[in-house]
Amino acid sequence: MFFFKNCYNRSMKRKLLLLAAIISMSGLFAQKINTDAEPKLFQFKFKENDQSRILSTVTEDVYLNGRFNHTAVILNRISSIITEVDENGRGTAQAVFMTTENSAKAWNNKSYSWGEEYESVFTRDTNGKYEIEDIYFMPTVRDVPVFPDHEVKPGQGWSRQGYEAHDLRRTFGIEKPFQFPFDANYIYRGDVENEDGKILSLIEINYKMFFTTPDLSSSYNAVLDAPKITTGFSHQKIYWDNERGQIDNYSEDFKIQIETFSGDVIMFTGKAHAEVTEFHRSNTDENLKKITETVAELGLENIDVKKSDRGLTISIENIQFQPDSSLLMDSEKNKLVKIGEILKEFENDLLVTGHCAKRGTLKMQQQISEERATAVADYLAKLKIRNPNCIFTQGKGASDPVDTNQTEEGRARNRRVEITIMDK
């Protein structure tokens, strides 16, 4: 979710991140609902070492003091791995949350810059309730969905309390998540069949939000344009895979209104959807050897393949752009076509990182590294190597050299773009 000012960016984008943390999407559905389905016991089923990526896209209109301001497309990415499942079926997850955005006009066929990351560790029981320490601020929305202990038949509903946990460290210096509860109302509508013939259960969730930020301005250095009163609603449809014990797909309509301490009123209305991908680990000795051999067979020069913290990285050294620009030379486009065939062997997201030699100001170095990473990423998207929302970019300036900047040969190696097949 995009906000008119930075404090809104940080607080409310996390609100939608939380929603993405519990959902997935894998296809369109024939909406014929079987209301005669047998009663079901809904439970989460966790498996140790299950690794996945959840990607949600939010499209929203933003209004400031009653007037339309802009439309934004927000991408929320959560990667997680189940590290432990106890004897009661509770699963512990290690997760990394990231959010970024494009303007609506720049959305089509454009990659996304890599945003700020937040790590979290939490446990959920088979009903869906969280256990999470106060040191973690993600996810924001917790205990949604939560299922009853008994079977539910179509048309039957239930209510459970959920809660939100807000990060007020920057605005009020509160070092723990500030929590407030809400009542979520559920109803099991029946079963539907997806395009692959799989039977899924449709569950609708509705809840209203009302949150008053504590007035701590006398004790802390409060920001006047920080949210004072937050109200709104969420209407969600989740399609539950009872065999696998997890959500299969999710959609949401929402409206959120914020009154700030300075008196502005900001309103957000929009829709969200999300999808999940189970990754196969790329960072293996077998894949490293395979890609290295393929690079040699294709006759690609100035290419280094290596393991990294995030996955498996293909480094294109001395990458050539038109003079004083981020426009790729034709020779480099041909090289990317060949590298693209390698990348098609994997379904994982891609992170494209730009680097440059140590010349000019730090600002210039950062800008050129970002622009060149974006040029490579957008060309990969143009080649349909990945959907644009599965390709992310970042610039490192001259902060991470692989060689000396004192020689032309060294500077050429430092002018590189790295493409990482992401494992997390």
Side-chain angles (χ1 to χ4, degrees):
M1 180 176 295
F2 178 83
F3 288 86
F4 192 71
K5 299 180 181 178
N6 287 337
C7 65
Y8 306 144
N9 272 316
R10 297 189 180 105
S11 63
M12 293 304 296
K13 281 181 182 176
R14 293 169 186 167
K15 181 186 292 292
L16 291 175
L17 262 172
L18 70 99
L19 295 171
I22 62 170
I23 61 182
S24 61
M25 183 173 183
S26 64
L28 300 176
F29 294 85
Q31 292 297 320
K32 184 178 180 180
I33 303 174
N34 177 15
T35 58
D36 296 323
E38 293 294 320
K40 291 183 174 64
L41 178 65
F42 296 112
Q43 288 187 326
F44 282 89
K45 298 175 183 177
F46 300 105
K47 294 182 180 179
E48 192 169 332
N49 294 321
D50 272 2
Q51 187 171 348
S52 64
R53 178 271 272 148
I54 300 171
L55 196 67
S56 78
T57 304
V58 180
T59 303
E60 67 177 11
D61 292 329
V62 183
Y63 297 81
L64 176 64
N65 296 325
R67 293 188 176 184
F68 175 77
N69 188 271
H70 66 278
T71 297
V73 178
I74 311 301
L75 198 67
N76 299 313
R77 184 184 188 273
I78 303 96
S79 62
S80 65
I81 182 170
I82 301 298
T83 58
E84 182 183 357
V85 180
D86 68 16
E87 65 276 8
N88 296 315
R90 301 186 309 165
T92 298
Q94 290 185 351
V96 178
F97 295 73
M98 188 280 296
T99 186
T100 185
E101 77 173 75
N102 280 353
S103 69
K105 292 181 180 179
W107 184 40
N108 291 331
N109 297 319
K110 295 295 183 180
S111 56
Y112 284 78
S113 60
W114 189 257
E116 191 174 1
E117 293 184 11
Y118 303 87
E119 295 185 359
S120 184
V121 177
F122 52 83
T123 298
R124 297 190 80 173
D125 65 19
T126 55
N127 294 101
K129 289 188 68 65
Y130 276 84
E131 289 184 15
I132 183 169
E133 296 183 44
D134 281 343
I135 60 174
Y136 299 112
F137 291 85
M138 290 289 186
T140 305
V141 175
R142 302 170 185 182
D143 293 353
V144 178
V146 169
F147 299 118
D149 293 323
H150 55 78
E151 289 186 339
V152 182
K153 57 186 179 181
Q156 188 173 356
W158 67 96
S159 297
R160 291 292 184 272
Q161 190 177 82
Y163 70 100
E164 296 197 5
H166 287 262
D167 185 354
L168 301 183
R169 288 175 294 181
R170 287 175 174 145
T171 52
F172 292 111
I174 300 176
E175 294 302 321
K176 294 182 179 181
F178 186 85
Q179 302 179 9
F180 73 93
F182 58 81
D183 293 323
N185 298 309
Y186 300 78
I187 187 168
Y188 168 35
R189 292 297 185 185
D191 291 350
V192 298
E193 182 177 343
N194 73 359
E195 59 186 8
D196 297 322
K198 192 171 191 61
I199 301 300
L200 302 170
S201 299
L202 171 59
I203 300 170
E204 293 188 8
I205 310 172
N206 290 280
Y207 65 85
K208 295 181 179 179
M209 293 170 283
F210 183 88
F211 171 54
T212 301
T213 306
D215 185 3
L216 301 175
S217 57
S218 61
S219 302
Y220 299 95
N221 185 23
V223 179
L224 288 178
D225 57 5
K228 178 181 180 182
I229 300 175
T230 302
T231 60
F233 69 84
S234 172
H235 173 62
Q236 306 168 25
K237 290 183 178 180
I238 63 173
Y239 291 86
W240 180 262
D241 186 335
N242 211 40
E243 180 180 344
R244 298 172 64 193
Q246 66 179 40
I247 297 170
D248 184 88
N249 108 45
Y250 161 96
S251 65
E252 180 199 14
D253 295 297
F254 65 87
K255 177 181 178 180
I256 297 174
Q257 181 169 294
I258 297 174
E259 179 184 343
T260 72
F261 279 98
S262 60
D264 285 330
V265 177
I266 306 97
M267 185 174 69
F268 311 88
T269 63
K271 298 180 181 293
H273 74 268
E275 59 186 13
V276 65
T277 302
E278 295 182 1
F279 283 162
H280 298 288
R281 187 165 171 260
S282 69
N283 193 354
T284 65
D285 291 335
E286 180 182 358
N287 286 332
L288 177 62
K289 180 181 178 183
K290 180 181 177 180
I291 294 178
T292 301
E293 291 175 350
T294 302
V295 167
E297 291 171 1
L298 292 173
L300 295 172
E301 298 180 349
N302 300 317
I303 302 290
D304 182 35
V305 185
K306 58 188 177 182
K307 292 183 178 182
S308 63
D309 291 340
R310 293 190 183 276
L312 203 57
T313 297
I314 301 173
S315 180
I316 310 171
E317 297 178 355
N318 196 25
I319 188 165
Q320 300 295 307
F321 294 85
Q322 295 181 24
D324 300 319
S325 78
S326 57
L327 298 175
L328 286 160
M329 300 284 285
D330 288 342
S331 60
E332 303 307 296
K333 291 181 180 180
N334 294 334
K335 187 182 295 184
L336 288 174
V337 170
K338 295 179 180 180
I339 292 174
E341 294 303 311
I342 298 173
L343 299 174
K344 287 180 180 179
E345 299 295 319
F346 302 86
E347 295 182 352
N348 306 37
D349 293 340
L350 303 177
L351 176 62
V352 182
T353 305
H355 302 266
C356 67
K358 195 172 184 179
R359 283 185 170 179
T361 65
L362 292 177
K363 183 178 180 180
M364 291 171 56
Q365 293 167 11
Q366 182 64 30
Q367 180 177 340
I368 195 65
S369 66
E370 291 175 359
E371 290 177 349
R372 291 179 171 180
T374 299
V376 170
D378 289 347
Y379 192 70
L380 292 176
K382 183 178 180 180
L383 294 173
K384 301 188 184 301
I385 305 303
R386 291 289 192 283
N387 288 330
N389 62 354
C390 296
I391 306 176
F392 301 89
T393 64
Q394 64 179 1
K396 290 293 188 71
S399 64
D400 191 15
V402 293
D403 208 330
T404 179
N405 280 293
Q406 303 304 313
T407 67
E408 183 52 41
E409 182 181 12
R411 289 190 291 270
R413 291 199 64 206
N414 291 334
R415 289 191 295 268
R416 69 193 191 280
V417 172
E418 297 177 332
I419 304 171
T420 299
I421 305 167
M422 298 182 68
D423 283 347
K424 61 181 182 179

